[in-house]
Amino acid sequence: MDTIKRRPTFKIDKNTLSGVVAIGFTLLMLVLVALDAKDGKRFSQIVAGGLYQGMLIFMVAAGLSIVFGLMDVLNFAQGSLLMIGAYVGFEILSSLSTDTKTNAVLLSIHVVAFTPIATTLLIEIAMIPLYRFVPKLAEAGRPSSHLLAKMTASALIGTPLGLLLGSTVADNLGSSADTMRVIGAVVVTALASVDMVRDPLLFGIKWFINEISTRFQIGLAIIQGRQAPPIETLEYKPSSASDKAVLGAILLSTFMAMLLNTTETTALRFGIAAIAAVFAGTLAGIIMETVFIRPTYVRPFFQIVLTFGIALVIREVIIYRYGIATQGNLTAYLPRGLAGTFPPHFLHGLFPNLETTIFNYWIFMIIMGLLMMVGVQVLLMRTRIGIIIRAGVQDSEMVESLGVNVRLVFTAVFALGAGIAAMGGIISAGFISVDPVMGDLFLLQAIAVVIIGGLGSYAGTSLAAIIVGLTRSSAGYFSRQQFNTDGLAPIAVLVLLCIVLLVKPSGLFGKEH
Amino acid sequence: MSEPILEVKDIHTFIGQFHILEGVNVTVQRGEITVLLGRNGAGKTTTLRSIMGLANVRSGEIRFKGREIRQMRPFKVARLGIGYVPEYRAIFRDLTVEENLKIAEREAGDLARRLDFIYSLFPDLQRLRKLGGAQLSGGQQQMLAVARALVAENELLLIDEPSEGLAPVIIEQLMAAIRQLSAHTTVLLVEQNFHMASQLADRFVIIEEGRSVLSGPMSDLVGNDAVISKYLGAA
């Protein structure tokens, strides 16, 4: 008989313990802040401030973490990619002047890009119940996509045509923006009316519209996973009934353009700058990986020196071009007359209703960061490329042996990380100061985040970014109170780093080898 | 006799500075199971890695279906129709069973086409499909590793030491599966377990200190205790 009682052992595994310690540290800081501030306004400000800082750091750390996990490369130039995003965005913003012509072009882009998308969404959403309950309709094909294709193509022509004609007239005659819009609409309407009577007049334009819409329809069919319509059925036949729809769509897109305020293009300017920034960052990432890092996969030490060197070069180029002085956020850099165009108007001011000192822009940064965080998580967990990345983190040689071009995946992942960092750059440029050392500061914080989260763990990086952000802002609060400076914030992060490393050297979600 | 599916002629492979293979010849006939035999460290695994393009083969010829594949990158070798099951059950531990299979797809729909066949060979995997790779037993992991190589339409499978560290019951199951799948594909096997090798293989190649020293039909070797003890230790 076995009567010996086993003494119960209290053994918490290190994963849980490290998590408890790290989150506990941050919560403790926040509690201290709450006790000290005794003020809901102040407290919510510090939490929101911490979250936005965490999100910005996350945008550098995300690429750092995935790239390290997959390729064992610690990219010391990741912060420079953020800087590239900020400065490229700045170049674009300062090149878009505010005269009526530029505004008209911007508005055209806006309408062309958004009107058809919004229309499609509305039509497709409206059709969902119809298709579900009337299966025969679905079999008969979807008229909505046909109409949509025509509308897209029409908007491509109608909007710029109307707006540019209008703005030219307005510039020459000195009329107001409102007059310009009316004139644009009148010109398009006149053209359309004439065409109703005399068919051949707009034949060239309609042929062009048909060419575009044919391709658009086939592309849409492929995206939706349907059989693409045979190309012969889509051939252009003069005076077919759909031409009337095309003219209608041209008119519609012009009127849509009229409904929008032509002078309020700041959101669009920001969008264009962000796209350019992400594009530049991604391109820089691709060049970095293929030209510089690829030859050094067999020499890990070289990579560190090399990426560090790249970071120095990028910093010096920026100093050469823009000078070394810190000048606050990008608004201060913009040429006279453009200063009001960034950040976008809808992000100005304080977050309403709460009567706090939370800026709208903070909320924007937090939302963008969360979108990236969730987006990459979905990419990793739900897509084929995600499966490949997660498998590659463990054994990239085996992935290659299954027929996957791992080198290409490496480049893609590097580019993805670079794109996210560049996005972080243009976003941060709207609020924090842009200068040639911002890359280095972000890099240090991001490295701390990646180590706290556990090298190579994306979930760890996400959590650690939030923890670090909150730690920074609460430490910053005390630091400002006691010493009138933010200096303690980075030190608190290092303290947190040390504590986590003492409890679990591989980080919160890291695997112990 | 038909043209061999794989011909390895006098390959010399290096790992770093070390000259590991110093002239290995292997011929694999279509539809057969060929086994590489030899002591630990003789160069059997390196031979498979050389075929896959995972090792630095400095000279010699490797032909798959008549085409030179030496110096091709591994993913291209794989896409020609070679499946690789490395030793130590190299499945992806952080992926589920299903994801482990999914990643081996070369074209969308591969897995759906082959899933019935795979589950008929390894019924356990169907039950375990949602589990993480790390939660599987050693035998289940090995079955998954073999199953993964079956997802794409591979004409040749390279299987490295499938029986290593597994219980005899599991080895029996695995042998049955390999015998069954060899009706569809050609197999080049590395196996230390002579019993298993003799039961499965049609032909053998013995590798000794980086050289292929003896080859022939398996029936020549079975019962030839002198050769077996000379090259493989006690039979």
Side-chain angles (χ1 to χ4, degrees):
Chain A
M1 274 237 292
D2 188 14
T3 52
I4 302 166
K5 274 191 184 165
R6 280 197 149 192
R7 192 184 293 173
T9 48
F10 293 103
K11 210 177 170 191
I12 305 173
D13 73 309
K14 280 188 174 178
N15 276 319
T16 323
L17 186 63
S18 63
V20 168
V21 167
I23 295 171
F25 181 80
T26 310
L27 286 180
L28 183 69
M29 299 275 287
L30 286 174
V31 168
L32 287 176
V33 169
L35 288 176
D36 189 80
K38 294 195 187 81
D39 176 0
K41 262 191 206 174
R42 208 60 206 279
F43 183 68
S44 59
Q45 185 195 14
I46 282 157
V47 171
L51 285 178
Y52 96 71
Q53 290 182 40
M55 290 306 164
L56 291 182
I57 296 169
F58 166 79
M59 287 193 214
V60 175
L64 208 61
S65 160
I66 306 175
V67 165
F68 183 83
L70 186 61
M71 313 172 204
D72 288 335
V73 174
L74 194 55
N75 179 16
F76 276 86
Q78 194 76 18
S80 312
L81 292 164
L82 172 121
M83 223 154 43
I84 287 177
Y87 280 94
V88 167
F90 159 70
E91 283 294 337
I92 297 293
L93 283 167
S94 51
S95 67
L96 296 173
S97 78
T98 50
D99 62 24
T100 42
K101 208 163 258 170
T102 311
N103 273 338
V105 172
L106 288 178
L107 193 62
S108 307
I109 296 170
H110 182 77
V111 175
V112 167
F114 293 104
T115 312
I117 293 171
T119 319
T120 328
L121 278 176
L122 285 177
I123 294 176
E124 291 282 325
I125 290 169
M127 292 304 253
I128 287 170
L130 269 181
Y131 287 134
R132 174 146 301 172
F133 296 116
V134 193
K136 269 189 184 163
L137 251 178
E139 280 167 31
R142 297 182 166 194
S144 62
S145 30
H146 181 74
L147 183 67
L148 159 80
K150 293 278 181 192
M151 295 212 25
T152 308
S154 309
L156 274 173
I157 297 233
T159 315
L161 186 75
L163 290 169
L164 277 175
L165 279 173
S167 72
T168 309
V169 174
D171 276 355
N172 292 331
L173 300 179
S175 320
S176 69
D178 288 331
T179 323
M180 162 203 126
R181 273 179 279 145
V182 174
I183 293 172
V186 168
V187 170
V188 175
T189 315
L191 277 174
S193 322
V194 172
D195 190 64
M196 297 275 190
V197 186
R198 287 190 56 81
D199 199 52
L201 186 71
L202 289 180
F203 181 82
I205 292 177
K206 283 190 284 185
W207 172 81
F208 178 68
I209 288 174
N210 195 74
E211 283 298 300
I212 295 174
S213 73
T214 304
R215 271 141 197 85
F216 188 80
Q217 263 183 282
I218 292 170
L220 197 74
I222 293 168
I223 292 167
Q224 294 178 338
R226 290 182 290 120
Q227 182 85 38
I231 201 149
E232 306 86 57
T233 64
L234 299 168
E235 243 170 50
Y236 180 64
K237 294 179 196 71
S239 1
S240 66
S242 66
D243 285 353
K244 300 287 175 272
V246 168
L247 288 169
I250 292 182
L251 284 174
L252 183 71
S253 53
T254 312
F255 286 126
M256 291 284 251
M258 284 175 61
L259 289 176
L260 296 160
N261 181 1
T262 44
T263 51
E264 171 40 32
T265 52
T266 56
L268 187 63
R269 284 162 190 274
F270 181 63
I272 290 171
I275 290 169
V278 171
F279 182 78
T282 309
L283 192 69
I286 290 172
I287 293 170
M288 242 186 211
E289 200 275 336
T290 51
V291 177
F292 297 107
I293 296 176
R294 191 174 281 180
T296 63
Y297 280 123
V298 283
R299 305 179 189 86
F301 180 69
F302 280 34
Q303 284 164 1
I304 294 176
V305 179
L306 187 72
T307 53
F308 190 64
I310 293 172
L312 289 178
V313 169
I314 292 175
R315 188 171 84 193
E316 292 307 313
V317 167
I318 286 174
I319 291 173
Y320 173 75
R321 171 82 176 75
Y322 300 95
I324 197 159
T326 303
Q327 293 189 30
N329 73 41
L330 265 191
T331 317
Y333 280 87
L334 288 171
R336 195 176 299 168
L338 287 175
T341 62
F342 186 75
H345 287 164
F346 76 102
L347 294 174
H348 281 197
L350 295 174
F351 193 66
N353 304 327
L354 290 179
E355 295 185 355
T356 56
T357 35
I358 298 173
F359 292 95
N360 274 335
Y361 204 84
W362 290 11
I363 307 283
F364 170 70
M365 288 190 279
I366 294 168
I367 290 173
M368 291 304 287
L370 282 174
L371 282 178
M372 300 269 163
M373 214 177 245
V374 174
V376 173
Q377 180 72 14
V378 168
L379 178 89
L380 285 176
M381 301 311 291
R382 293 261 177 271
T383 65
R384 180 172 161 76
I385 177 99
I387 295 179
I388 291 172
I389 293 170
R390 283 187 289 140
V393 168
Q394 190 198 328
D395 186 351
S396 60
E397 193 177 74
M398 188 60 228
V399 176
E400 171 114 10
S401 304
L402 292 170
V404 176
N405 187 351
V406 168
R407 228 180 255 176
L408 202 64
V409 175
F410 278 16
T411 309
V413 165
F414 203 92
L416 173 77
I420 295 174
M423 185 71 162
I426 178 68
I427 289 173
S428 62
F431 195 77
I432 64 169
S433 74
V434 173
D435 57 54
V437 293
M438 70 187 292
D440 301 339
L441 297 177
F442 269 100
L443 180 74
L444 288 176
Q445 301 293 318
I447 288 178
V449 160
V450 170
I451 294 173
I452 290 172
L455 284 168
S457 160
Y458 178 76
T461 301
S462 306
L463 178 66
I466 294 173
I467 290 178
V468 164
L470 290 172
T471 305
R472 270 185 71 94
S473 71
S474 28
Y477 167 79
F478 288 118
S479 179
R480 271 192 306 279
Q481 260 191 351
Q482 301 296 321
F483 310 107
N484 218 10
T485 155
D486 273 355
L488 272 187
I491 296 173
V493 174
L494 291 180
V495 171
L496 177 65
L497 178 67
C498 293
I499 293 174
V500 170
L501 289 185
L502 281 175
V503 178
K504 187 160 176 259
S506 54
L508 294 182
F509 285 64
K511 295 218 170 60
E512 287 178 69
H513 294 288
Chain B
M1 192 181 275
S2 64
E3 186 193 276
I5 189 167
L6 179 78
E7 279 178 286
V8 177
K9 282 186 193 159
D10 193 31
I11 55 167
H12 288 253
T13 299
F14 286 73
I15 296 178
Q17 301 290 312
F18 301 103
H19 195 166
I20 304 296
L21 299 186
E22 305 173 20
V24 167
N25 294 283
V26 178
T27 304
V28 178
Q29 299 294 340
R30 196 180 277 277
E32 291 189 344
I33 299 182
T34 306
V35 64
L36 297 180
L37 297 168
R39 290 196 172 88
N40 272 337
K44 305 183 297 290
T45 295
T46 308
T47 304
L48 293 194
R49 288 177 61 83
S50 300
I51 297 168
M52 271 322 281
L54 292 167
N56 175 15
V57 187
R58 292 228 185 131
S59 67
E61 253 181 51
I62 304 173
R63 287 184 178 279
F64 177 64
K65 295 194 287 182
R67 187 169 167 186
E68 175 68 81
I69 60 167
R70 184 169 79 89
Q71 301 197 330
M72 238 185 223
R73 288 188 48 205
F75 82 95
K76 286 193 173 159
V77 174
R79 284 182 191 178
L80 291 175
I82 302 184
Y84 179 44
V85 184
E87 60 186 336
Y88 309 125
R89 311 184 270 279
I91 60 154
F92 303 113
R93 299 169 59 82
D94 294 339
L95 268 54
T96 65
V97 169
E98 251 172 3
E99 287 171 335
N100 262 286
L101 296 173
K102 186 89 185 154
I103 194 175
E105 278 192 331
R106 274 175 216 145
E107 283 161 36
D110 272 352
L111 184 57
R113 273 195 293 281
R114 304 274 285 178
L115 207 56
D116 287 342
F117 172 61
I118 289 171
Y119 285 158
S120 74
L121 282 181
F122 306 109
D124 275 3
L125 293 183
Q126 184 163 16
R127 182 167 52 82
L128 303 167
R129 64 187 185 279
K130 299 282 181 209
L131 279 191
Q135 291 165 276
L136 302 184
S137 71
Q140 290 161 342
Q141 290 186 354
Q142 187 62 63
M143 286 172 192
L144 179 57
V146 176
R148 191 176 56 189
L150 299 175
V151 171
E153 296 269 348
N154 287 318
E155 290 176 67
L156 173 65
L157 293 187
L158 312 178
I159 307 180
D160 200 349
E161 299 254 13
S163 71
E164 177 149 56
L166 298 183
V169 185
I170 308 290
I171 295 182
E172 286 298 324
Q173 276 181 36
L174 206 61
M175 272 172 66
I178 292 176
R179 195 176 287 124
Q180 223 179 321
L181 69 87
S182 71
H184 306 267
T185 43
T186 310
V187 176
L188 176 58
L189 189 71
V190 167
E191 189 50 72
Q192 291 268 11
N193 179 334
F194 187 73
H195 168 72
M196 180 168 171
S198 62
Q199 295 276 308
L200 279 175
D202 302 298
R203 291 174 176 281
F204 72 91
V205 175
I206 293 179
I207 297 181
E208 171 86 353
E209 290 179 353
R211 289 186 185 84
S212 50
V213 289
L214 199 66
S215 64
M218 201 67 210
S219 52
D220 286 5
L221 195 61
V222 176
N224 192 340
D225 291 343
V227 172
I228 293 173
S229 65
K230 180 175 176 197
Y231 292 114
L232 310 175

